[in-house]
Amino acid sequence: MKGTTHLAVGAGIGVTAAFVYPIRLEDAILYAAVTAFSALSADLDGTNLLSAKLGKVSRFIRESALWTGILSVGCLSWLYFARGLLYPKLAIAAVSLLLLGLLMKQGFMRNLLVSLIGAGLIYAGWNFRLYGLIGLGVFVAWAPWLNHRGLTHTVWAVIAWGAIARAFEEEWGIPGLMNFAVAGYLSHLLLDTMTPSGVKWLFPISKKSFKIRF
Ligand SMILES: [Zn+2]
């Protein structure tokens, strides 16, 4: 399944849900971003975008995300290290954008960069005693080195992703975050289940690949 499909479905779920729940625009954007990000995270293992040729739209999304991410992370790092100013929510948004851009790249350097970002998240999480951040860091640092459509494409990953989101929900005071994150992540696995190679939902307990064909 192509990255843009995952992104579109994830963002769609987020926007729809944001309309159903009466929330502020700012929150709606946040929920849509969380759902879209969750809908792509399973492919931090580098899965399908390896084989899919990037279309113009995907390339544009990738480059915009990558460069906006790099610039924002740069600015926020400067503000933090030179001025002692910390903007946690903006920082998370910037790192997510950067990851989004990297998600659509491939190769050893990409994996190394993704893992470095994961290590950075673990470090920040440890520093501020934010367990959600530590969990996300472990996921991000680990995922690139897993087999394609392996552990990140299982029910266990959905549970782990839900637990990470739950910790974020409590530590950052964002009610309902877990539901959006799980919905986004599940949408990814369901869409992949509709592709010819399917998804090994119960890996490594069972190597059976589940498929839904129409
Ligand atoms: Zn996938």
Side-chain angles (χ1 to χ4, degrees):
M1 196 56 70
K2 281 191 347 191
T4 35
T5 315
H6 286 305
L7 187 61
V9 171
I13 294 173
V15 171
T16 312
F19 273 111
V20 175
Y21 291 93
I23 48 178
R24 289 174 304 159
L25 179 68
E26 189 192 317
D27 295 327
I29 294 170
L30 175 74
Y31 287 127
V34 166
T35 318
F37 184 70
S38 301
L40 283 171
S41 297
D43 279 350
L44 275 172
D45 66 2
T47 310
N48 41 49
L49 300 140
L50 285 174
S51 50
K53 259 207 196 136
L54 280 189
K56 271 205 182 112
V57 181
S58 316
R59 197 183 304 268
F60 176 75
I61 292 175
R62 181 184 78 182
E63 294 307 307
S64 324
L66 202 56
W67 288 104
T68 316
I70 290 172
L71 286 175
S72 329
V73 169
C75 288
L76 290 168
S77 308
W78 179 80
L79 282 171
Y80 179 62
F81 289 110
R83 297 285 178 86
L85 297 169
L86 182 63
Y87 302 97
K89 286 187 181 169
L90 279 179
I92 285 283
V95 170
S96 309
L97 266 178
L98 188 55
L99 275 175
L100 205 68
L102 284 172
L103 207 98
M104 301 191 211
K105 289 224 175 243
Q106 50 179 291
F108 180 78
M109 282 310 290
R110 173 261 192 204
N111 290 348
L112 197 65
L113 271 173
V114 172
S115 286
L116 276 176
I117 293 174
L121 292 176
I122 295 172
Y123 176 76
W126 186 254
N127 245 344
F128 298 106
R129 295 289 180 273
L130 293 168
Y131 295 99
L133 213 51
I134 296 177
L136 181 66
V138 170
F139 185 97
V140 168
W142 193 15
W145 311 104
L146 291 169
N147 280 336
H148 296 327
R149 280 202 192 177
L151 261 187
T152 57
H153 288 60
T154 59
V155 282
W156 328 120
V158 178
I159 294 168
W161 193 254
I164 292 169
R166 177 88 195 138
F168 261 90
E169 187 174 320
E170 282 175 1
E171 290 167 350
W172 298 68
I174 313 170
L177 186 82
M178 186 183 80
N179 298 343
F180 286 87
V182 169
Y185 205 99
L186 268 179
S187 80
H188 182 114
L189 300 194
L190 284 172
L191 283 174
D192 275 359
T193 304
M194 295 176 201
T195 60
S197 41
V199 166
K200 299 187 192 95
W201 282 81
L202 297 174
F203 182 82
I205 291 177
S206 157
K207 293 208 169 103
K208 179 175 165 41
S209 190
F210 294 85
K211 294 164 206 175
I212 301 173
R213 307 298 347 237
F214 293 100

